[in-house]
Amino acid sequence: MKLISVVGARPNFMKIAPLCRELKKYPSIKNILVHTGQHYDFKMSQVFFQELEIPRPHINLNAASGSHARQTSDIMIKFEKVLLDIKPSLVVVAGDVNSTLACSVTAAKLLIPVAHIEAGLRSFDRSMPEEINRIVTDSVSDVLFTTCRDANANLLKEGIPIHKIHFTGNIMMDSLLHNLKKAGSSKILSKMGLKNHNYCLVTLHRPANVDNAKNLKSILLALGSVSSLVPVVFPIHPRTIHNINKFGLSKTAAKFPALSLCEPAGYIDFLKLTSCARLVLTDSGGIQEETTALKIPCLTLRDNTERPVTVTMGTNKLISTNPARIVPECVKILQGRPKKSRIPPKWDGKTAERICKILHEFYS
Ligand code: UD1
């Protein structure tokens, strides 16, 4: 059996790494790794291959950046050629980035079965491109692996037959648990002059937060105020730094000595930064889950989340996209007691094992 697994953007790498590792136990399955090239900087891509020990991709599509249509169509045209050439029995995609949508639709149109890892998540907010990617990918997938029970319910409501849905747990936790010990020896805290559980970690890259000059300025000023209470470390996504420079906001950030803007961190350093933070402020999907797994307080700068289990069971709190909420909510965490939380079922490091068993049975 020939299987193609697809990666494209940063959040895909920690989901595909455990799958590649587990698939090695199945000699009857040949796993061909395709990188779309959606993310291409060393710090957004290659560092994850090294640290997560992902095999070198067999094929890189070197997709174009730019508008969603340009990026998606370029991946589709190039991926179609790969599928016609390799003729795999199955394509495995993960998450909700443009590469996920592009490759699942291309495979489905060639009648090649698609398996989707992290199916069924819904924010019910179609202004986010990821929501469209999730809905389209799930609608063309033949095997749908979910991280939590609410995802199963969402899929059933959309008419996906029950036999296609498998609640296998959160594969990102396989990467997290596998690398926690390694992260323990990371020297990132001493390198950045940070003390254990005495800093606020920030990541922001959603268009709703960073594409508007006034909004981004208010966020930086709020982070500056937080940095007078606790040091703030902000590993910065290419979209965000590009906008800070474009809007002339680097001087605004530089006014606050305890607000450190730095380059995007690799997986191991970032895991260390998250696991030792006093609190995390983010608009990422994956980080809402990682903080829940690590029991670190998380404030999410969004109006909704496709990962409600991180709020109902985990450490996450949605504080909307209003920058005025940042300072009071951070103060509440710094002065208050931590929220009681639990780790959701099947976030246990064994998801890849469950997925591969199902994939193997599907074809034998
Ligand atoms: C993408 C995903 C988002 C995910 C995020 C994680 C979509 C629709 N969005 O958003 O869901 O949370 O990745 O990082 O798929 N760039 C670089 N170097 C890189 C990658 C990007 O400089 O290695 C710059 C390019 O100018 C690019 C821009 O960042 O045009 C945005 O990248 P893109 O992949 O389009 O979207 P992200 O904002 O990264």
Side-chain angles (χ1 to χ4, degrees):
M1 169 191 173
K2 272 192 285 185
L3 173 157
I4 287 187
S5 41
V6 176
V7 288
R10 185 167 62 176
N12 293 151
F13 304 130
M14 42 296 248
K15 294 167 195 163
I16 290 295
L19 185 83
C20 291
R21 204 169 45 241
E22 187 65 23
L23 279 173
K24 286 192 193 139
K25 296 183 189 161
Y26 293 83
S28 61
I29 303 179
K30 183 173 165 50
N31 177 25
I32 299 158
L33 186 62
V34 173
H35 191 339
T36 66
Q38 177 175 344
H39 283 176
Y40 45 88
D41 285 349
F42 178 84
K43 299 225 162 189
M44 296 297 285
S45 172
Q46 214 178 316
V47 67
F48 294 89
F49 280 79
Q50 290 174 2
E51 294 187 349
L52 295 167
E53 294 171 23
I54 306 173
R56 212 182 140 89
H58 295 83
I59 297 161
N60 193 320
L61 304 179
N62 294 313
S65 282
S67 73
H68 285 262
R70 184 171 146 75
Q71 188 172 65
T72 310
S73 57
D74 194 46
I75 296 170
M76 289 179 84
I77 292 165
K78 291 173 174 167
F79 192 56
E80 185 179 49
K81 284 199 192 107
V82 170
L83 292 178
L84 291 171
D85 184 28
I86 294 181
K87 300 185 180 59
S89 328
L90 179 77
V91 168
V92 182
V93 295
D96 56 13
V97 299
N98 284 345
S99 301
T100 313
L101 170 132
C103 294
S104 57
V105 170
T106 309
K109 293 226 174 178
L110 291 174
L111 308 182
I112 298 167
V114 175
H116 184 204
I117 298 179
E118 204 184 83
L121 297 181
R122 296 289 180 271
S123 64
F124 304 100
D125 174 3
R126 291 201 185 186
S127 69
M128 284 181 72
E130 292 81 2
E131 182 74 352
I132 295 171
N133 294 345
R134 289 188 280 264
I135 294 169
V136 174
T137 301
D138 287 339
S139 71
V140 297
S141 291
D142 302 273
V143 195
L144 298 96
F145 296 115
T146 61
T147 55
C148 49
R149 291 204 171 88
D150 53 279
N152 286 42
N154 291 335
L155 293 170
L156 290 171
K157 261 187 237 150
E158 288 173 19
I160 308 278
I162 196 161
H163 71 268
K164 290 187 177 180
I165 307 168
H166 305 270
F167 171 39
T168 42
N170 194 330
I171 200 164
M172 245 180 32
M173 298 310 140
D174 294 22
S175 279
L176 185 146
L177 295 170
H178 187 77
N179 288 289
L180 211 47
K181 201 167 153 210
K182 226 197 242 178
S185 359
S186 154
K187 300 278 176 285
I188 190 74
L189 296 196
S190 52
K191 252 193 234 165
M192 299 192 74
L194 298 167
K195 287 200 193 110
N196 203 354
H197 294 294
N198 188 32
Y199 59 90
C200 169
L201 174 65
V202 177
T203 80
L204 296 168
H205 71 281
R206 299 272 165 212
N209 286 320
V210 307
D211 279 7
N212 169 289
K214 198 167 151 249
N215 209 49
L216 187 54
K217 185 171 181 184
S218 306
I219 289 177
L220 289 173
L221 291 172
L223 296 180
S225 301
V226 174
S227 73
S228 66
L229 306 169
V230 67
V232 175
V233 53
F234 187 179
I236 230 164
H237 186 277
R239 173 190 284 278
T240 311
I241 195 68
H242 175 79
N243 287 345
I244 287 179
N245 294 333
K246 185 169 94 182
F247 303 144
L249 293 174
S250 34
K251 279 193 190 139
T252 308
K255 275 187 209 144
F256 304 99
L259 167 61
S260 317
L261 270 51
C262 56
E263 290 206 313
Y267 186 77
I268 298 296
D269 283 346
F270 195 78
L271 185 50
K272 174 79 175 184
L273 283 170
T274 311
S275 57
C276 294
R278 176 76 180 82
L279 76 146
V280 174
L281 180 76
T282 191
D283 58 9
S284 147
I287 294 167
Q288 295 173 53
E289 297 184 333
E290 287 166 341
T291 46
T292 277
L294 294 163
K295 295 191 171 264
I296 301 294
C298 177
L299 297 173
T300 297
L301 210 58
R302 283 178 45 187
D303 297 322
N304 49 54
T305 179
E306 62 290 339
R307 292 161 161 93
V309 74
T310 60
V311 177
T312 53
M313 289 184 81
T315 54
N316 189 20
K317 181 174 182 185
L318 293 180
I319 62 163
S320 87
T321 50
N322 180 359
R325 294 274 305 272
I326 293 176
V327 179
E329 293 293 344
C330 286
V331 168
K332 267 192 222 163
I333 289 185
L334 293 171
Q335 294 178 349
R337 282 210 208 122
K339 177 185 168 191
K340 279 214 170 105
S341 70
R342 281 175 300 145
I343 295 173
K346 298 196 191 177
W347 291 25
D348 57 0
K350 293 183 179 152
T351 296
E353 200 180 305
R354 290 187 277 267
I355 288 178
C356 289
K357 211 164 157 241
I358 292 167
L359 290 179
H360 186 246
E361 277 164 13
F362 191 74
Y363 278 97
S364 48

